[in-house]
Amino acid sequence: FDSFSEAITCLNFLVFNKRSLIISSNLKANLICSVLRKSNCVVILNGLGRMRKIKLFRKFLILLYSNKKKSNLIVQNYADYRYLKLHSNMQNIFWIPGSGGTSRKHGVNREALIVQRDSKIRLVANSIKNIAKLLGSETRINIIGCNDFNLVNELFNSQQYKNIGYVDQERIFETGSIFIQPSGYGEGFPHTLSDAILSNLQIIITKKDYVRFGMYRLGSRRREISKEWLEVENIKSVRNKVSESKISSQIINIILEYTDNKWANKNFN
């Protein structure tokens, strides 16, 4: 949930539907469900995001999930998965990279693409400026997804940048062939990164995010282009692992196995 009214709806559902199986993926909803539900549940943790830096929050999360040893925890960010796997005593913790990508048409020109929202663009602005300087002024940087043109113009006052604004999902890659994943927001496994992999775009990412997202665990290779940035190579070996069909199948299998075991245990008792 992202508003007070949605929080009330979530609380109401938990109070009056105690027998229902709860499957949550929003971090706020995850915390409320895990705190209020005494029984075990299936939790999809997108990523800790900026909360990752808060030591007290990490300790709280470990304590919370350590008391739900039989719950199923699906973690989309590889760095978060490793941390929880190491410090919690949960029996069923899985790493599934993202929510699955889709192949989309992309441009053939050598222009770069950055897909962001108004609420995130300021957080990743320095990262964008860094890679733009590295690529050089001859490489156009197209910013897709931001409706606040004044904000974008304030952050990127240069002819190297062009704000495309909001476009339909099917068209987000139409203006270029180089996908840039800027750093600074702390995502789980970006959906647009999955789409870029499925769409066979050239992908540029920071070294830190390459590790945090577990790209090397998916079979990709890297080519360093600076101390901070690299290009992802061997994309073909990654595509099937982050496709929407593959990811959905993995999540559904975990949920079905959890519900089957829970039902069997009730009947046995």
Side-chain angles (χ1 to χ4, degrees):
F1 59 86
D2 294 304
S3 67
F4 180 74
S5 61
E6 290 173 350
I8 296 300
T9 301
C10 180
L11 288 169
N12 180 70
F13 185 85
L14 288 171
V15 171
F16 295 103
N17 295 272
K18 295 182 178 180
R19 293 186 178 182
S20 300
L21 170 65
I22 302 296
I23 303 169
S24 62
S25 62
N26 178 282
L27 181 58
K28 301 171 188 175
N30 287 345
L31 294 176
I32 288 182
C33 292
S34 298
V35 169
L36 296 183
R37 275 292 178 108
K38 293 182 180 180
S39 60
N40 295 307
C41 52
V42 177
V43 174
I44 302 174
L45 184 64
N46 296 333
L48 301 184
R50 287 167 288 172
M51 300 295 288
R52 184 184 295 116
K53 298 180 180 180
I54 303 175
K55 188 175 181 180
L56 185 61
F57 176 77
R58 296 201 309 269
K59 287 186 175 181
F60 167 73
L61 204 63
I62 292 297
L63 179 63
L64 180 64
Y65 290 130
S66 291
N67 291 327
K68 295 181 177 293
K69 298 179 182 179
K70 294 183 179 180
S71 290
N72 280 12
L73 179 60
I74 300 170
V75 186
Q76 295 184 347
N77 181 279
Y78 183 68
D80 293 340
Y81 163 78
R82 288 191 61 184
Y83 179 82
L84 292 168
K85 186 78 171 176
L86 178 63
H87 295 284
S88 74
N89 56 358
M90 289 190 67
Q91 298 174 5
N92 303 314
I93 178 169
F94 309 90
W95 173 52
I96 296 181
S99 53
T102 303
S103 177
R104 305 187 187 282
K105 292 182 179 179
H106 63 79
V108 296
N109 54 5
R110 295 295 297 168
E111 295 186 5
L113 307 164
I114 293 176
V115 184
Q116 284 295 319
R117 302 174 186 172
D118 292 330
S119 59
K120 297 180 181 180
I121 190 69
R122 190 180 294 275
L123 298 171
V124 298
N126 288 336
S127 179
I128 294 173
K129 292 175 183 178
N130 182 290
I131 187 60
K133 183 178 180 180
L134 184 65
L135 293 175
S137 59
E138 66 276 8
T139 301
R140 170 68 63 83
I141 308 291
N142 295 314
I143 300 174
I144 296 98
C146 293
N147 285 324
D148 192 339
F149 279 68
N150 290 330
L151 174 61
V152 174
N153 291 333
E154 173 194 334
L155 294 172
F156 309 103
N157 187 19
S158 167
Q159 292 185 351
Q160 184 179 4
Y161 304 96
K162 182 178 181 180
N163 186 23
I164 305 298
Y166 174 82
V167 299
D168 292 337
Q169 281 290 107
E170 294 76 16
R171 301 180 55 204
I172 58 175
F173 298 150
E174 281 188 357
T175 58
S177 60
I178 305 170
F179 177 83
I180 297 174
Q181 178 61 53
S183 184
Y185 181 72
E187 300 190 63
F189 193 102
H191 192 89
T192 50
L193 176 59
S194 298
D195 286 348
I197 293 171
L198 268 292
S199 303
N200 199 33
L201 290 171
Q202 179 184 352
I203 297 173
I204 297 176
I205 190 173
T206 64
K207 293 180 181 179
K208 285 185 178 180
D209 282 343
Y210 181 83
V211 174
R212 285 173 179 167
F213 298 155
M215 294 295 292
Y216 67 101
R217 297 287 296 173
L218 296 172
S220 70
R221 294 192 296 269
R222 67 184 195 178
R223 182 181 68 84
E224 295 187 5
I225 57 178
S226 75
K227 291 182 179 180
E228 183 181 356
W229 294 88
L230 56 84
E231 179 184 348
V232 181
E233 296 184 332
N234 197 32
I235 291 295
K236 289 183 179 180
S237 65
V238 183
R239 286 179 199 160
N240 180 57
K241 298 172 184 175
V242 298
S243 68
E244 185 176 24
S245 59
K246 178 69 174 182
I247 296 295
S248 298
S249 176
Q250 287 179 297
I251 293 175
I252 290 171
N253 286 338
I254 290 172
I255 293 171
L256 290 177
E257 183 177 354
Y258 172 81
T259 53
D260 288 345
N261 290 338
K262 191 173 182 180
W263 178 258
N265 290 334
K266 280 187 175 181
N267 287 341
F268 181 77
N269 293 331

